[in-house]
Amino acid sequence: MTGAGQGPSAASPDALPFDPIGDALGRIRTEFLDDHRGEVADYIPQLGEADPAAFGLALVGVAGSVYRVGEADVPFTIQSISKPFVYALALADAGIDDVLGRVGVEPSGEAFNAISLEPGTGRPSNPMINAGAILTTSLVRGTGPDERFERIRDLLSRCAGRVLEVDDAVFRSEHETGDRNRALAYLMRHAGSLTADVEAAVDTYFRQCSVLVTAVDLATMAATLANGGVNPRTGEEVLGQSAAEQVLTVMATCGMYDYSGEWLFRVGLPAKSGVSGGVVAVSPSQFGIGLYSPRLDGRGNSVRGVAASEAISERFTLHLMHQVGRTAPTFERVAPDVGLVVAADDQGTSVSVGDAPRNADVAVLAVQGYLEFASAEQALLALRTRTDDTDSPEALILDLGHVTRCHPVAAALLDAMIEQIESRGVTVVTVDRRERRLLASSAEFTTRSEALARCRGGWRER
Ligand code: GLU
């Protein structure tokens, strides 16, 4: 069923004979296909025309692969799923303090269209309810509603990796029937939180809700958030990393209407749903999911979208609070008797690995993988153990060649430790064949032999 009849993208594994991820999604789709509970939204006629049987699932990984099953290429209006992305744009345009001063980040626990404004300030609880979203939209830069909307459409398109169009009939209907949203805007304007013109603010908001997307688009947009704001299919940096984190945080606490708490409890992923039956969910650093199934439960969430998300989270063990454990050892061992210590010799350059004597003069510590707080903490312990004892080498070579990424926190901790070790008279140098200068505190060499030569020079001088 994977990708049957669909045009797979260049990066899609759809065409491959074996696709365990697509197959797993297909099984989940089959499992919930016969769940016919819920009602298709019909507050405007266009939404009521949606095919209640449609059920599409898509997953886009941070490496850009696309997996899709069922009606994953059927267009529908994005509706409330536009809210987190427009929030990111408002944060970029107005700055976090200005935005937080006008829209909160507290879950309201109320329905999406509730009149939930802070007494006194008129500040809506969060940007995922309609009041907060209308206010957020008004904070997007632009000389008028048209320019403001074009900037929103451009952002949504860049997150999706293709130019998104507006469903004009849906827009007109939203505009004609949107008096409750207008009322919310007037209340905010009266309270002083909304300073923009009411008609202009709701016009842009109705337009953004009417942008057409597919489940694959939603999954790509979600993957852009998962990937720190970089669209993994186009490689474009669409959002800043901190904006992506801030948006994901609000999605985690407020994204699923008044089901947000139980959603986080059960599914454990930042998400957003919309009244036309779409759901996006994000597994940070891993992938984005887009789902489409138009029948909604009493809270306005897609029945099959919620059920399938729960199954995906459980089967792929995605809950944010899940303890993953360490995935790879950070170190080659440093003890001389296991052979990763470089022995001093009189030849000047040869490196002896595997048969070093216990009283080796130079120790090599090779670090690998992603160096963040926890792995840096292991590195600090190993460095301390290796240089604290009476067998401390005279020089230490820290090989960073297999470090895939070094978080600034890890670099700062290691730099501080190296300074302490050097203050005790031990020379520390780093090796990185890619010459990335990951640490500031020590001399860097491209090979262990060069580093060794430098270390030896150091002792002879002493
Ligand atoms: N256009 C809809 C409204 O503001 C969006 C609602 C939704 O998706 O939650 O009423």
Side-chain angles (χ1 to χ4, degrees):
M1 111 175 325
T2 306
Q6 321 279 0
S9 78
S12 172
D14 288 1
L16 302 177
F18 304 112
D19 176 10
I21 296 175
D23 290 348
L25 289 180
R27 279 194 297 276
I28 289 170
R29 180 176 184 271
T30 306
E31 209 171 301
F32 298 106
L33 200 54
D34 291 332
D35 187 343
H36 301 300
R37 288 174 303 156
E39 303 295 332
V40 176
D42 58 2
Y43 69 92
I44 54 172
Q46 293 79 5
L47 290 188
E49 285 162 14
D51 174 10
F55 188 16
L57 293 83
L59 185 152
V60 173
V62 291
S65 307
V66 183
Y67 303 85
R68 66 185 97 198
V69 294
E71 286 72 30
D73 293 296
V74 169
F76 54 94
T77 50
I78 188 169
Q79 298 290 351
S80 277
I81 300 172
S82 60
K83 293 172 181 173
F85 298 93
V86 176
Y87 184 57
L89 191 54
L91 285 171
D93 282 359
I96 185 161
D97 292 334
D98 201 15
V99 174
L100 272 183
R102 310 275 289 279
V103 190
V105 283
E106 300 301 333
S108 71
E110 293 181 74
F112 69 99
N113 59 4
I115 302 171
S116 175
L117 306 178
E118 195 175 67
T121 62
R123 203 171 70 130
S125 314
N126 67 68
M128 301 296 118
I129 55 171
N130 285 10
I134 294 166
L135 209 150
T136 304
T137 298
S138 79
L139 298 177
V140 170
R141 243 191 302 117
T143 49
D146 288 347
E147 188 183 326
R148 192 168 294 116
F149 174 67
E150 278 313 318
R151 293 195 61 239
I152 291 172
R153 182 160 75 135
D154 181 59
L155 178 91
L156 297 173
S157 297
R158 288 191 290 141
C159 288
R162 72 181 185 97
V163 176
L164 300 176
E165 304 294 339
V166 174
D167 185 323
D168 284 322
V170 169
F171 166 65
R172 280 194 302 275
S173 284
E174 294 280 0
H175 200 273
E176 278 157 26
T177 60
D179 284 342
R180 189 178 173 96
N181 285 323
R182 254 179 219 105
L184 286 170
Y186 274 113
L187 281 173
M188 291 190 291
R189 183 146 168 110
H190 170 74
S193 50
L194 179 73
T195 49
D197 174 70
V198 164
E199 269 311 322
V202 296
D203 183 274
T204 313
Y205 171 73
F206 293 141
R207 269 182 219 276
Q208 81 184 47
C209 287
S210 309
V211 167
L212 285 163
V213 289
T214 66
V216 170
D217 292 328
L218 290 184
T220 310
M221 297 167 83
T224 301
L225 293 174
N227 198 31
V230 177
N231 181 324
R233 295 180 71 193
T234 63
E236 187 189 356
E237 185 178 346
V238 184
L239 306 168
Q241 181 150 357
S242 36
E245 280 172 19
Q246 286 150 358
V247 166
L248 288 173
T249 308
V250 179
M251 288 167 70
T253 53
C254 313
M256 297 297 283
Y257 306 118
D258 41 341
Y259 183 65
S260 298
E262 190 168 336
W263 168 277
L264 190 60
F265 185 79
R266 287 181 182 277
V267 182
L269 296 175
K272 184 73 199 89
S273 69
V275 77
S276 50
V279 179
V280 292
V282 179
S283 180
S285 305
Q286 300 203 79
F287 52 78
I289 307 167
L291 302 108
Y292 173 57
S293 174
R295 284 202 197 89
L296 309 179
D297 62 22
R299 286 155 159 146
N301 294 315
S302 163
V303 173
R304 293 191 297 198
V306 169
S309 301
E310 217 174 289
I312 292 171
S313 171
E314 190 190 303
R315 266 162 242 180
F316 298 163
T317 332
L318 299 177
H319 199 293
L320 278 184
M321 309 305 166
H322 178 71
Q323 199 279 104
V324 287
R326 304 230 56 80
T327 47
T330 309
F331 288 105
E332 295 175 34
R333 295 297 305 169
V334 291
D337 47 348
V338 297
L340 280 160
V341 165
V342 180
D345 65 26
D346 294 330
Q347 311 307 312
T349 53
S350 71
V351 179
S352 155
V353 173
D355 56 355
R358 274 211 65 87
N359 63 349
D361 297 310
V362 181
V364 176
L365 183 65
V367 190
Q368 65 185 35
Y370 176 28
L371 263 183
E372 28 66 288
F373 179 83
S375 50
E377 191 247 341
Q378 287 181 57
L380 296 180
L381 275 178
L383 280 167
R384 206 165 66 197
T385 312
R386 190 64 194 89
T387 53
D388 251 5
D389 59 22
T390 46
D391 269 353
S392 174
E394 292 180 39
L396 202 133
I397 297 172
L398 194 57
D399 191 337
L400 305 171
H402 292 287
V403 169
T404 49
R405 204 168 136 204
C406 183
H407 192 281
V409 167
L413 290 170
L414 284 167
D415 277 330
M417 178 59 105
I418 288 169
E419 274 170 30
Q420 279 183 27
I421 294 172
E422 291 200 311
S423 73
R424 294 200 300 267
V426 178
T427 304
V428 182
V429 297
T430 52
V431 172
D432 184 3
R433 58 195 150 76
R434 282 178 277 172
E435 299 179 11
R436 290 171 294 175
R437 293 290 314 155
L438 297 175
L439 301 185
S441 60
S442 57
E444 181 182 276
F445 297 90
T446 44
T447 64
R448 288 188 190 183
S449 313
E450 282 168 25
L452 179 65
R454 161 63 190 272
C455 291
R456 288 209 175 99
W459 324 318
R460 288 203 184 106
E461 280 157 28
R462 269 201 279 273

